[in-house]
Amino acid sequence: MESSSEISVKDISHDPSYYSKAFNVFVRHSTEHQMLATWVETIFPRTIVENIPISKHNQEKKLEILGFGSGTGDLDFKMIAQLLKKFPSISNTVVEPNPDHIVEYKKLVASKSFGSDVDFNWRQQTWQEYLSRVSAAQQIKKFHFISAIHSLYYVEDPESTILDIVSCLDEGGILLLVLISENGGVIRQHKRFLSDAQRVVGSETICKILEKCQLKFEAFTENSTIDIACCYEAGNQDGVLLADFINNVKLQESGPPSFVEEVLSYMREGAIQNGDQILLETEWQVIVVTK
């Protein structure tokens, strides 16, 4: 059998439609999304909303916020609802490269509109594309709040990206980052089976970058679980999609059977049996950076 390092498997982030399907399955089988929503409803107000300074600039103009990799917008809506309690008018720029996610986000806006209190500026772009275009057009704007939730995994240079994002913050502005921890089961899988280029960057690496760049930040560690039982049910398409999302690659499509078996076996070894559930424990961090 080939060693793991010699096996080439397709990265799911290169297929936006497939990634969307896999992401939706992950949301259904993981407790993380709900826990993050609870964090936004309980800790976000006092940690972020109350610390965005009210100034003459804020009072005369809309609060400017930007979501980098906002996905389908569910968490954006929860954050906006909290921000509206302090700021009556918001301009929200959405930078999201996945067209399927933008379609779902727009459907959410249509069904749960904030009315004239919030306007949306859609950008189907990567962060690099967004920054390049606004720079070329000399239209760089400052934001009071920027969120990048599970988005830094897909940039080539996390350090330069963070510095670019912070440069787009208004003085006193806040950047919210969410990333999986290198102590959790997901990155353990990546370290065992994926090439350096395919592994995602963890929160500990990002915190070291923030320290190196002398940026002020606070990190909150959270734990959640993923029920991976469906990954071991023959013919279960959700199981295929979930395993692919966790491992960041198309296992069944591009990996040899022996490799797929090894990956799934290792994933199960690190999980806990709880009745019919097989729970893979995950750790992630919410990082709040203040300019």
Side-chain angles (χ1 to χ4, degrees), residues 86-143:
K86 181 177 180 181
F87 305 99
S89 186
I90 295 174
S91 177
N92 180 31
T93 298
V94 179
V95 178
E96 169 56 57
N98 191 317
D100 293 341
H101 282 172
I102 286 188
V103 168
E104 292 303 313
Y105 198 143
K106 288 183 176 180
K107 287 180 182 177
L108 185 63
V109 171
S111 66
K112 300 179 180 180
S113 176
F114 292 111
S116 60
D117 294 335
V118 184
D119 62 62
F120 292 85
N121 173 22
W122 309 98
R123 300 273 192 154
Q124 188 189 317
Q125 300 166 334
T126 64
W127 172 259
Q128 290 86 350
E129 289 169 343
Y130 164 78
L131 192 61
S132 175
R133 293 186 189 182
V134 295
S135 298
Q138 297 184 327
Q139 294 177 339
I140 295 179
K141 63 193 299 185
K142 297 290 185 178
F143 297 91

Side-chain angles (χ1 to χ4, degrees), residues 266-284:
Y266 185 74
M267 190 164 70
R268 187 164 190 164
E269 286 175 12
I272 298 170
Q273 188 81 38
N274 180 32
D276 294 335
Q277 296 180 313
I278 302 173
L279 302 178
L280 182 66
E281 294 182 319
T282 57
E283 183 178 293
W284 43 281

